Amino acid sequence: MNITLDEIQNFITVVDTGSITSAAQQLDQTISAASRTLGRLEQKLKTTLLRRTTRRIELTDEGQAFLERAREIVAAVENAEEQMAERRSRPAGRLRVDAASPFILHVVVPLVAGYRERYPEVELELHSSEGFIDLLERRTDVALRIGRLRDSTLHARPIGSSRLRCLASPAYLEKHGTPRKVADLSRHSLLGFTELDMLNQWPLLDAKRQPLHIKPTIGSSSGETLRHLALEGNGIVCLSDFMTRTDRDAGTLVEVLPTLRQDVRQPINAVYYRNTAISARIASFVNYLAETIGDNAFEH
């Protein structure tokens, strides 16, 4: 049948104004266009909705029954439009967020209470994925990514950055000695990544004045696992500040070779598909993270 909202609105306007001529004026249409629209609706419904005379129009019984339903349909559409407009001004609804588990644990979770206090009608879902995911397949509204982005189909909003440092526990350094120069690292246990080998490039310069690339003594695919290995005194690790701020403040991890460290920062981006109109709930979450994180939020 495929009745359109325009046809329904045209019918209601004809009834309310009392004539096709008046309805055409109100709808900014020609009289013939308004008449054809009404005729098309009656043809689709296979019934006569209005009796037309030279002086007036009147509803048939079928027209009266359809008018009641038509008004309900238009009212429902208008109500939905109002709700969408309200949502644009007041974020609401389910928001699915994806990030690597360390970022979820160390950054997002501590910020949830403040965000929920400001936007209580947003229903958060937090998902952890260590690798890149298909946002549409996983029904993810926004993903938080650390490091350089490679997918050009995504829209990226920078929300801050996080510095890389080499760290070890005081117990490890007391037992094995504190490195004084980069070459000293060859005599130490180095904790590194088994996946994404680029993560084993540390913010130090080797003997050729090139970024230092280490071969892990102990490896893991998880940054959080490497953090715990370092806390337990198993070696020297290079991690992003967002993971280690609490450890550094508590003194359970201390920086190694701080005077030789190059200023290397990992960008933090919120990403979503380019063809997705950003909703109020996505914007509210991304803006909240951006104002809270910034470029120096993980220093101390």
Side-chain angles (χ1 to χ4, degrees):
M1 189 177 293
N2 298 324
I3 295 173
T4 68
L5 188 61
D6 285 342
E7 291 167 346
I8 293 173
Q9 188 65 66
N10 181 83
F11 168 65
I12 294 173
T13 306
V14 170
V15 173
D16 290 345
T17 59
S19 72
I20 293 176
T21 300
S22 298
Q25 292 175 345
Q26 184 167 318
L27 295 172
D28 195 22
Q29 296 178 356
T30 63
I31 297 173
S32 60
S35 181
R36 284 196 304 271
T37 301
L38 181 59
R40 189 164 57 246
L41 176 61
E42 290 180 320
Q43 186 177 8
K44 289 179 179 180
L45 292 172
K46 294 182 173 59
T47 190
T48 300
L49 299 173
L50 297 169
R51 295 191 186 93
R52 304 166 181 82
T53 69
T54 55
R55 301 183 60 182
R56 63 177 184 170
I57 61 172
E58 60 181 32
L59 287 164
T60 63
D61 290 343
E62 292 79 9
Q64 183 64 53
F66 184 74
L67 179 62
E68 295 176 9
R69 296 295 177 265
R71 292 196 191 280
E72 291 174 0
I73 291 170
V74 172
V77 171
E78 291 175 348
N79 183 54
E81 290 177 342
E82 289 174 2
Q83 288 182 351
M84 291 302 100
E86 191 174 358
R87 279 197 173 200
R88 287 193 294 271
S89 61
R90 190 189 73 240
R94 190 174 305 279
L95 179 66
R96 298 175 179 88
V97 179
D98 181 273
S101 53
F103 197 80
I104 289 285
L105 293 172
H106 294 282
V107 180
V108 178
V109 168
L111 297 179
V112 165
Y115 174 78
R116 292 277 298 135
E117 185 176 352
R118 186 180 298 184
Y119 303 107
E121 295 183 44
V122 176
E123 304 166 16
L124 277 177
E125 276 190 13
L126 304 180
H127 299 273
S128 298
S129 299
E130 304 309 321
F132 293 96
I133 64 167
D134 186 317
L135 271 63
L136 289 179
E137 182 180 329
R138 294 284 292 272
R139 299 178 65 209
T140 297
D141 296 305
V142 59
L144 305 171
R145 294 288 173 254
I146 315 301
R148 184 163 51 91
L149 295 174
R150 294 173 292 181
D151 192 340
S152 61
T153 66
L154 296 175
H155 177 82
R157 160 78 187 277
I159 58 174
S161 65
S162 182
R163 179 179 278 114
L164 289 172
R165 301 176 197 262
C166 300
L167 304 158
S169 69
Y172 174 86
L173 297 176
E174 183 177 352
K175 183 176 181 179
H176 299 278
T178 300
R180 302 299 176 188
K181 54 185 183 294
V182 175
D184 293 344
L185 293 176
S186 62
R187 299 191 295 272
H188 284 268
S189 174
L190 306 182
L191 311 176
F193 290 87
T194 56
E195 297 177 11
L196 294 178
D197 192 48
M198 63 181 180
L199 296 177
N200 290 322
Q201 184 169 295
W202 289 13
L204 299 167
L205 298 180
D206 61 18
K208 296 180 180 180
R209 306 297 295 171
Q210 297 298 313
L212 178 68
H213 195 92
I214 66 104
K215 182 178 180 180
T217 309
I218 303 175
S220 174
S221 61
S222 165
E224 189 64 19
T225 299
L226 293 176
R227 170 178 167 266
H228 280 278
L229 284 167
L231 286 168
E232 294 297 326
N234 288 287
I236 299 173
V237 72
C238 178
L239 293 173
S240 195
D241 274 359
F242 77 83
M243 292 181 63
T244 63
R245 175 178 51 186
T246 302
D247 304 322
R248 288 180 284 111
D249 288 347
T252 51
L253 287 179
V254 297
E255 187 170 4
V256 173
L257 301 172
T259 60
L260 299 179
R261 170 177 38 83
Q262 304 296 298
D263 188 21
V264 177
R265 294 173 179 265
Q266 292 180 311
I268 304 171
N269 287 284
V271 297
Y272 45 90
Y273 276 103
R274 289 184 182 277
N275 60 356
T276 301
I278 186 168
S279 67
R281 61 184 183 279
I282 293 177
S284 70
F285 186 75
V286 172
N287 291 339
Y288 186 82
L289 289 184
E291 71 179 59
T292 306
I293 294 175
D295 286 325
N296 300 301
F298 310 116
E299 299 292 324
H300 301 289

